[in-house]
Amino acid sequence: MIGALLWDVDGTLAETERDGHLLAFNRAFEALGVPWRWGTARYGELLAVAGGYERLLHDMAQQPDAPPQPVERAALARRVHQLKNELYARIVAAGELPLREGVAALLADCRAAGVALGIATTSSAVNVAALLGRHLGSSWRAQFAAVVCAEQAPRKKPDPQVYEHALAALAVPAQAAVAIEDSPAGVAAARAAGVAVIVTHSHYFPQLEADGVLAAGPSLGSGAGWRPAAADAGRIELAQIVRWRSH
Ligand code: XBP
Ligand code: MG
Protein backbone atom coordinates (compact mmCIF):
# COMPACT_ATOMS: atom_id res chain seq x y z
CA MET A 1 0.00 0.00 0.00
CA ILE A 2 1.06 3.61 -0.43
CA GLY A 3 1.21 6.17 2.39
CA ALA A 4 -0.33 9.13 0.57
CA LEU A 5 -1.67 10.24 -2.79
CA LEU A 6 -0.77 13.83 -3.69
CA TRP A 7 -2.86 15.63 -6.29
CA ASP A 8 -1.95 18.41 -8.63
CA VAL A 9 -5.02 20.57 -9.35
CA ASP A 10 -4.92 22.37 -12.70
CA GLY A 11 -5.15 19.95 -15.60
CA THR A 12 -5.20 16.93 -13.26
CA LEU A 13 -8.35 17.24 -11.11
CA ALA A 14 -10.13 19.16 -13.88
CA GLU A 15 -9.37 20.85 -17.21
CA THR A 16 -9.12 24.12 -15.35
CA GLU A 17 -6.60 25.82 -17.64
CA ARG A 18 -8.48 25.60 -20.95
CA ASP A 19 -12.02 25.65 -19.52
CA GLY A 20 -11.51 27.89 -16.50
CA HIS A 21 -8.46 30.13 -16.09
CA LEU A 22 -8.11 31.02 -19.79
CA LEU A 23 -11.79 32.01 -20.14
CA ALA A 24 -11.64 33.95 -16.89
CA PHE A 25 -8.47 35.82 -17.88
CA ASN A 26 -10.05 36.92 -21.17
CA ARG A 27 -13.25 37.98 -19.38
CA ALA A 28 -11.18 39.95 -16.86
CA PHE A 29 -9.27 41.73 -19.65
CA GLU A 30 -12.56 42.67 -21.25
CA ALA A 31 -14.22 43.82 -18.02
CA LEU A 32 -11.24 46.03 -17.16
CA GLY A 33 -10.98 47.51 -20.66
CA VAL A 34 -7.60 45.89 -21.28
CA PRO A 35 -7.23 45.27 -25.03
CA TRP A 36 -5.42 41.89 -24.83
CA ARG A 37 -7.02 38.49 -25.43
CA TRP A 38 -5.24 35.15 -25.24
CA GLY A 39 -6.04 32.38 -27.72
CA THR A 40 -5.96 28.72 -26.71
CA ALA A 41 -2.57 28.16 -28.38
CA ARG A 42 -0.98 31.30 -26.90
CA TYR A 43 -2.19 30.27 -23.44
CA GLY A 44 -0.50 26.90 -23.99
CA GLU A 45 2.81 28.73 -24.52
CA LEU A 46 2.19 30.88 -21.46
CA LEU A 47 1.69 27.79 -19.28
CA ALA A 48 5.47 27.48 -19.26
CA VAL A 49 5.21 30.18 -16.57
CA ALA A 50 3.62 28.80 -13.39
CA GLY A 51 1.18 31.01 -11.48
CA GLY A 52 -1.55 33.14 -13.04
CA TYR A 53 -0.08 36.43 -11.80
CA GLU A 54 3.45 35.56 -12.93
CA ARG A 55 2.06 34.36 -16.29
CA LEU A 56 0.34 37.68 -16.84
CA LEU A 57 3.45 39.69 -15.94
CA HIS A 58 5.47 37.55 -18.34
CA ASP A 59 3.01 38.26 -21.17
CA MET A 60 2.96 41.99 -20.36
CA ALA A 61 6.69 42.16 -21.00
CA GLN A 62 5.83 41.48 -24.66
CA GLN A 63 2.74 43.69 -24.92
CA PRO A 64 3.67 47.06 -26.49
CA ASP A 65 0.72 48.80 -24.80
CA ALA A 66 1.44 47.48 -21.29
CA PRO A 67 2.21 50.15 -18.65
CA PRO A 68 5.90 51.09 -18.97
CA GLN A 69 6.67 51.27 -15.22
CA PRO A 70 7.17 47.96 -13.37
CA VAL A 71 5.13 49.18 -10.39
CA GLU A 72 2.15 50.09 -12.63
CA ARG A 73 2.46 46.79 -14.42
CA ALA A 74 2.38 44.90 -11.15
CA ALA A 75 -0.70 46.86 -10.02
CA LEU A 76 -2.54 46.09 -13.25
CA ALA A 77 -1.51 42.42 -13.10
CA ARG A 78 -2.82 42.20 -9.51
CA ARG A 79 -6.16 43.74 -10.56
CA VAL A 80 -6.59 41.45 -13.54
CA HIS A 81 -5.52 38.39 -11.54
CA GLN A 82 -7.93 39.12 -8.70
CA LEU A 83 -10.87 39.62 -11.06
CA LYS A 84 -9.79 36.52 -13.02
CA ASN A 85 -10.06 34.50 -9.80
CA GLU A 86 -13.57 35.85 -9.12
CA LEU A 87 -14.67 35.02 -12.66
CA TYR A 88 -13.06 31.58 -12.37
CA ALA A 89 -15.07 30.93 -9.20
CA ARG A 90 -18.24 31.85 -11.11
CA ILE A 91 -17.43 29.36 -13.88
CA VAL A 92 -16.88 26.66 -11.25
CA ALA A 93 -20.06 27.58 -9.32
CA ALA A 94 -22.07 27.39 -12.54
CA GLY A 95 -21.03 23.73 -12.84
CA GLU A 96 -19.03 24.38 -16.02
CA LEU A 97 -15.82 22.79 -14.77
CA PRO A 98 -16.41 19.12 -13.90
CA LEU A 99 -13.81 16.89 -12.25
CA ARG A 100 -12.01 14.76 -14.81
CA GLU A 101 -13.15 11.17 -15.30
CA GLY A 102 -11.98 8.77 -12.63
CA VAL A 103 -10.93 11.47 -10.16
CA ALA A 104 -13.86 11.21 -7.72
CA ALA A 105 -13.68 7.41 -7.75
CA LEU A 106 -9.93 7.36 -7.05
CA LEU A 107 -10.38 9.83 -4.19
CA ALA A 108 -13.05 7.49 -2.79
CA ASP A 109 -10.69 4.47 -3.14
CA CYS A 110 -8.13 6.30 -1.03
CA ARG A 111 -10.64 7.28 1.64
CA ALA A 112 -11.92 3.69 1.83
CA ALA A 113 -8.36 2.32 2.12
CA GLY A 114 -7.22 4.93 4.65
CA VAL A 115 -4.63 6.40 2.25
CA ALA A 116 -3.98 10.04 3.14
CA LEU A 117 -4.89 12.57 0.47
CA GLY A 118 -2.95 15.75 -0.26
CA ILE A 119 -3.14 18.70 -2.63
CA ALA A 120 0.12 20.10 -4.05
CA THR A 121 -0.59 22.99 -6.39
CA THR A 122 0.86 26.26 -7.60
CA SER A 123 -2.70 27.66 -7.88
CA SER A 124 -4.06 30.14 -5.36
CA ALA A 125 -5.93 28.67 -2.37
CA VAL A 126 -9.12 30.51 -3.34
CA ASN A 127 -9.26 28.68 -6.68
CA VAL A 128 -8.68 25.29 -5.07
CA ALA A 129 -11.41 25.95 -2.52
CA ALA A 130 -13.85 26.99 -5.25
CA LEU A 131 -13.24 23.83 -7.28
CA LEU A 132 -13.19 21.29 -4.46
CA GLY A 133 -16.03 22.93 -2.52
CA ARG A 134 -18.21 22.69 -5.61
CA HIS A 135 -17.44 19.03 -6.25
CA LEU A 136 -16.77 17.51 -2.82
CA GLY A 137 -19.05 19.71 -0.72
CA SER A 138 -18.41 22.20 2.05
CA SER A 139 -16.51 19.60 4.10
CA TRP A 140 -13.97 19.09 1.29
CA ARG A 141 -11.04 20.34 3.37
CA ALA A 142 -11.50 17.59 5.97
CA GLN A 143 -10.98 14.96 3.27
CA PHE A 144 -7.38 16.09 2.74
CA ALA A 145 -4.63 15.62 5.28
CA ALA A 146 -2.61 18.39 3.57
CA VAL A 147 -3.53 21.22 1.21
CA VAL A 148 -0.54 23.21 -0.03
CA CYS A 149 -1.21 26.05 -2.48
CA ALA A 150 0.70 28.98 -3.98
CA GLU A 151 0.52 31.00 -0.77
CA GLN A 152 2.41 28.37 1.24
CA ALA A 153 4.84 27.49 -1.54
CA PRO A 154 5.81 30.70 -3.34
CA ARG A 155 8.65 28.99 -5.23
CA LYS A 156 6.42 27.53 -7.89
CA LYS A 157 6.76 24.22 -9.77
CA PRO A 158 9.20 22.93 -11.05
CA ASP A 159 10.64 23.89 -7.65
CA PRO A 160 9.96 20.99 -5.25
CA GLN A 161 8.85 23.32 -2.42
CA VAL A 162 5.13 22.56 -2.73
CA TYR A 163 5.79 18.81 -2.51
CA GLU A 164 8.25 19.21 0.36
CA HIS A 165 5.65 21.19 2.34
CA ALA A 166 2.94 18.64 1.56
CA LEU A 167 5.12 15.72 2.70
CA ALA A 168 6.00 17.56 5.91
CA ALA A 169 2.31 18.29 6.62
CA LEU A 170 1.39 14.66 5.94
CA ALA A 171 4.36 13.35 7.95
CA VAL A 172 4.88 10.79 5.20
CA PRO A 173 8.33 10.03 3.70
CA ALA A 174 8.71 10.88 0.01
CA GLN A 175 9.21 7.21 -0.91
CA ALA A 176 5.79 6.32 0.52
CA ALA A 177 3.91 8.93 -1.52
CA VAL A 178 2.67 8.99 -5.11
CA ALA A 179 1.80 12.19 -7.01
CA ILE A 180 -0.62 12.65 -9.90
CA GLU A 181 0.43 15.36 -12.33
CA ASP A 182 -0.22 16.52 -15.89
CA SER A 183 2.59 18.98 -16.69
CA PRO A 184 6.37 18.79 -17.15
CA ALA A 185 6.88 21.35 -14.36
CA GLY A 186 4.66 19.34 -12.03
CA VAL A 187 6.50 16.10 -12.77
CA ALA A 188 9.84 17.83 -12.23
CA ALA A 189 8.68 19.26 -8.89
CA ALA A 190 7.49 15.91 -7.57
CA ARG A 191 10.58 14.05 -8.78
CA ALA A 192 12.88 16.65 -7.24
CA ALA A 193 11.11 16.04 -3.92
CA GLY A 194 11.67 12.28 -4.35
CA VAL A 195 7.99 11.50 -5.00
CA ALA A 196 6.96 8.91 -7.63
CA VAL A 197 4.60 10.29 -10.29
CA ILE A 198 1.64 9.11 -12.34
CA VAL A 199 0.93 11.34 -15.35
CA THR A 200 -2.57 11.97 -16.68
CA HIS A 201 -2.45 13.71 -20.03
CA SER A 202 -4.42 16.95 -20.20
CA HIS A 203 -5.46 19.24 -23.04
CA TYR A 204 -2.23 21.21 -22.88
CA PHE A 205 0.12 18.30 -22.21
CA PRO A 206 -1.30 15.47 -24.34
CA GLN A 207 1.95 13.58 -25.01
CA LEU A 208 3.90 14.01 -21.81
CA GLU A 209 6.06 10.90 -21.27
CA ALA A 210 8.60 12.20 -18.79
CA ASP A 211 11.54 10.13 -17.63
CA GLY A 212 11.20 8.42 -14.30
CA VAL A 213 7.41 8.40 -14.04
CA LEU A 214 5.60 5.29 -12.78
CA ALA A 215 3.00 5.43 -15.56
CA ALA A 216 1.46 7.84 -18.05
CA GLY A 217 -1.90 7.70 -19.77
CA PRO A 218 -4.79 9.72 -21.15
CA SER A 219 -7.28 9.55 -18.30
CA LEU A 220 -7.83 8.09 -14.83
CA GLY A 221 -11.31 7.21 -16.10
CA SER A 222 -10.07 4.40 -18.34
CA GLY A 223 -7.39 1.70 -18.38
CA ALA A 224 -6.86 2.24 -22.12
CA GLY A 225 -3.69 3.80 -23.50
CA TRP A 226 -1.54 3.62 -20.37
CA ARG A 227 2.18 2.91 -20.40
CA PRO A 228 2.99 0.58 -18.70
CA ALA A 229 -0.36 -1.05 -19.53
CA ALA A 230 -3.06 -1.09 -16.87
CA ALA A 231 -4.22 -4.53 -15.74
CA ASP A 232 -7.80 -3.95 -16.83
CA ALA A 233 -9.78 -1.69 -19.12
CA GLY A 234 -11.83 -0.02 -16.39
CA ARG A 235 -10.90 3.14 -14.53
CA ILE A 236 -7.53 3.49 -12.76
CA GLU A 237 -8.12 2.21 -9.23
CA LEU A 238 -5.87 2.62 -6.21
CA ALA A 239 -4.91 -1.07 -6.64
CA GLN A 240 -3.49 -0.24 -10.09
CA ILE A 241 -1.36 2.55 -8.66
CA VAL A 242 -0.03 0.18 -6.01
CA ARG A 243 0.73 -2.36 -8.76
CA TRP A 244 2.67 0.19 -10.87
CA ARG A 245 4.60 1.22 -7.83
CA SER A 246 5.64 -2.30 -6.89
CA HIS A 247 7.09 -3.04 -10.38
C1 XBP B 1 -1.20 25.57 -12.45
C2 XBP B 1 -0.84 26.99 -12.47
C3 XBP B 1 -1.78 28.00 -11.93
C4 XBP B 1 -3.06 28.28 -12.72
C5 XBP B 1 -3.68 29.59 -12.33
O1 XBP B 1 -0.58 24.93 -11.38
O2 XBP B 1 0.21 27.34 -12.92
O3 XBP B 1 -1.05 29.16 -11.90
O4 XBP B 1 -2.82 28.38 -14.10
O5 XBP B 1 -3.82 29.71 -10.99
P1 XBP B 1 -0.91 23.39 -10.93
P2 XBP B 1 -3.58 31.08 -10.21
O6 XBP B 1 -1.14 22.55 -12.17
O7 XBP B 1 0.33 23.02 -10.16
O8 XBP B 1 -2.10 23.41 -10.03
O9 XBP B 1 -4.20 32.17 -11.04
O10 XBP B 1 -4.28 30.86 -8.90
O11 XBP B 1 -2.11 31.26 -10.06
MG1 MG C 1 -1.24 20.79 -13.57
Side-chain angles (χ1 to χ4, degrees), residues 177-189:
V178 173
I180 307 196
E181 277 284 357
D182 72 308
S183 71
V187 171

PDB file of all heavy atoms in Angstrom, residues 177-189:
ATOM      1  N   ALA A 177       4.967   8.152  -0.871  1.00  0.00           N
ATOM      2  CA  ALA A 177       3.906   8.925  -1.520  1.00  0.00           C
ATOM      3  C   ALA A 177       3.932   8.736  -3.033  1.00  0.00           C
ATOM      4  O   ALA A 177       4.955   8.398  -3.614  1.00  0.00           O
ATOM      5  CB  ALA A 177       4.088  10.411  -1.193  1.00  0.00           C
ATOM      6  N   VAL A 178       2.788   8.961  -3.649  1.00  0.00           N
ATOM      7  CA  VAL A 178       2.672   8.990  -5.113  1.00  0.00           C
ATOM      8  C   VAL A 178       1.947  10.283  -5.477  1.00  0.00           C
ATOM      9  O   VAL A 178       0.991  10.673  -4.800  1.00  0.00           O
ATOM     10  CB  VAL A 178       1.896   7.763  -5.652  1.00  0.00           C
ATOM     11  CG1 VAL A 178       1.638   7.897  -7.149  1.00  0.00           C
ATOM     12  CG2 VAL A 178       2.655   6.471  -5.361  1.00  0.00           C
ATOM     13  N   ALA A 179       2.441  10.960  -6.532  1.00  0.00           N
ATOM     14  CA  ALA A 179       1.804  12.187  -7.007  1.00  0.00           C
ATOM     15  C   ALA A 179       1.095  11.927  -8.324  1.00  0.00           C
ATOM     16  O   ALA A 179       1.523  11.071  -9.108  1.00  0.00           O
ATOM     17  CB  ALA A 179       2.867  13.272  -7.208  1.00  0.00           C
ATOM     18  N   ILE A 180       0.028  12.673  -8.586  1.00  0.00           N
ATOM     19  CA  ILE A 180      -0.625  12.646  -9.897  1.00  0.00           C
ATOM     20  C   ILE A 180      -0.492  14.036 -10.499  1.00  0.00           C
ATOM     21  O   ILE A 180      -0.892  15.030  -9.883  1.00  0.00           O
ATOM     22  CB  ILE A 180      -2.098  12.227  -9.791  1.00  0.00           C
ATOM     23  CG1 ILE A 180      -2.196  10.915  -9.022  1.00  0.00           C
ATOM     24  CG2 ILE A 180      -2.704  12.078 -11.184  1.00  0.00           C
ATOM     25  CD1 ILE A 180      -3.496  10.204  -9.146  1.00  0.00           C
ATOM     26  N   GLU A 181       0.076  14.095 -11.681  1.00  0.00           N
ATOM     27  CA  GLU A 181       0.426  15.363 -12.329  1.00  0.00           C
ATOM     28  C   GLU A 181       0.085  15.306 -13.818  1.00  0.00           C
ATOM     29  O   GLU A 181      -0.059  14.218 -14.385  1.00  0.00           O
ATOM     30  CB  GLU A 181       1.949  15.597 -12.203  1.00  0.00           C
ATOM     31  CG  GLU A 181       2.385  16.209 -10.885  1.00  0.00           C
ATOM     32  CD  GLU A 181       2.078  17.705 -10.784  1.00  0.00           C
ATOM     33  OE1 GLU A 181       1.568  18.278 -11.777  1.00  0.00           O
ATOM     34  OE2 GLU A 181       2.342  18.293  -9.722  1.00  0.00           O
ATOM     35  N   ASP A 182       0.005  16.490 -14.431  1.00  0.00           N
ATOM     36  CA  ASP A 182      -0.222  16.524 -15.889  1.00  0.00           C
ATOM     37  C   ASP A 182       0.851  17.294 -16.651  1.00  0.00           C
ATOM     38  O   ASP A 182       0.886  17.205 -17.872  1.00  0.00           O
ATOM     39  CB  ASP A 182      -1.590  17.151 -16.209  1.00  0.00           C
ATOM     40  CG  ASP A 182      -1.592  18.653 -15.969  1.00  0.00           C
ATOM     41  OD1 ASP A 182      -1.201  19.067 -14.853  1.00  0.00           O
ATOM     42  OD2 ASP A 182      -1.944  19.403 -16.889  1.00  0.00           O
ATOM     43  N   SER A 183       1.690  18.069 -15.965  1.00  0.00           N
ATOM     44  CA  SER A 183       2.587  18.977 -16.694  1.00  0.00           C
ATOM     45  C   SER A 183       4.055  18.623 -16.458  1.00  0.00           C
ATOM     46  O   SER A 183       4.400  18.024 -15.432  1.00  0.00           O
ATOM     47  CB  SER A 183       2.346  20.409 -16.221  1.00  0.00           C
ATOM     48  OG  SER A 183       2.844  20.563 -14.904  1.00  0.00           O
ATOM     49  N   PRO A 184       4.933  19.031 -17.369  1.00  0.00           N
ATOM     50  CA  PRO A 184       6.368  18.792 -17.152  1.00  0.00           C
ATOM     51  C   PRO A 184       6.873  19.452 -15.875  1.00  0.00           C
ATOM     52  O   PRO A 184       7.666  18.853 -15.142  1.00  0.00           O
ATOM     53  CB  PRO A 184       7.033  19.428 -18.381  1.00  0.00           C
ATOM     54  CG  PRO A 184       5.954  19.562 -19.405  1.00  0.00           C
ATOM     55  CD  PRO A 184       4.653  19.676 -18.673  1.00  0.00           C
ATOM     56  N   ALA A 185       6.416  20.676 -15.582  1.00  0.00           N
ATOM     57  CA  ALA A 185       6.878  21.350 -14.364  1.00  0.00           C
ATOM     58  C   ALA A 185       6.409  20.600 -13.119  1.00  0.00           C
ATOM     59  O   ALA A 185       7.146  20.478 -12.135  1.00  0.00           O
ATOM     60  CB  ALA A 185       6.362  22.792 -14.331  1.00  0.00           C
ATOM     61  N   GLY A 186       5.195  20.090 -13.161  1.00  0.00           N
ATOM     62  CA  GLY A 186       4.661  19.336 -12.029  1.00  0.00           C
ATOM     63  C   GLY A 186       5.426  18.044 -11.793  1.00  0.00           C
ATOM     64  O   GLY A 186       5.766  17.702 -10.648  1.00  0.00           O
ATOM     65  N   VAL A 187       5.724  17.334 -12.883  1.00  0.00           N
ATOM     66  CA  VAL A 187       6.498  16.095 -12.765  1.00  0.00           C
ATOM     67  C   VAL A 187       7.878  16.409 -12.193  1.00  0.00           C
ATOM     68  O   VAL A 187       8.358  15.731 -11.277  1.00  0.00           O
ATOM     69  CB  VAL A 187       6.629  15.394 -14.146  1.00  0.00           C
ATOM     70  CG1 VAL A 187       7.610  14.231 -14.068  1.00  0.00           C
ATOM     71  CG2 VAL A 187       5.267  14.915 -14.642  1.00  0.00           C
ATOM     72  N   ALA A 188       8.496  17.470 -12.708  1.00  0.00           N
ATOM     73  CA  ALA A 188       9.843  17.831 -12.232  1.00  0.00           C
ATOM     74  C   ALA A 188       9.818  18.170 -10.744  1.00  0.00           C
ATOM     75  O   ALA A 188      10.723  17.781  -9.993  1.00  0.00           O
ATOM     76  CB  ALA A 188      10.380  19.002 -13.046  1.00  0.00           C
ATOM     77  N   ALA A 189       8.783  18.882 -10.306  1.00  0.00           N
ATOM     78  CA  ALA A 189       8.681  19.263  -8.892  1.00  0.00           C
ATOM     79  C   ALA A 189       8.564  18.032  -8.000  1.00  0.00           C
ATOM     80  O   ALA A 189       9.263  17.904  -6.989  1.00  0.00           O
ATOM     81  CB  ALA A 189       7.473  20.184  -8.684  1.00  0.00           C
TER      82      ALA A 189
END
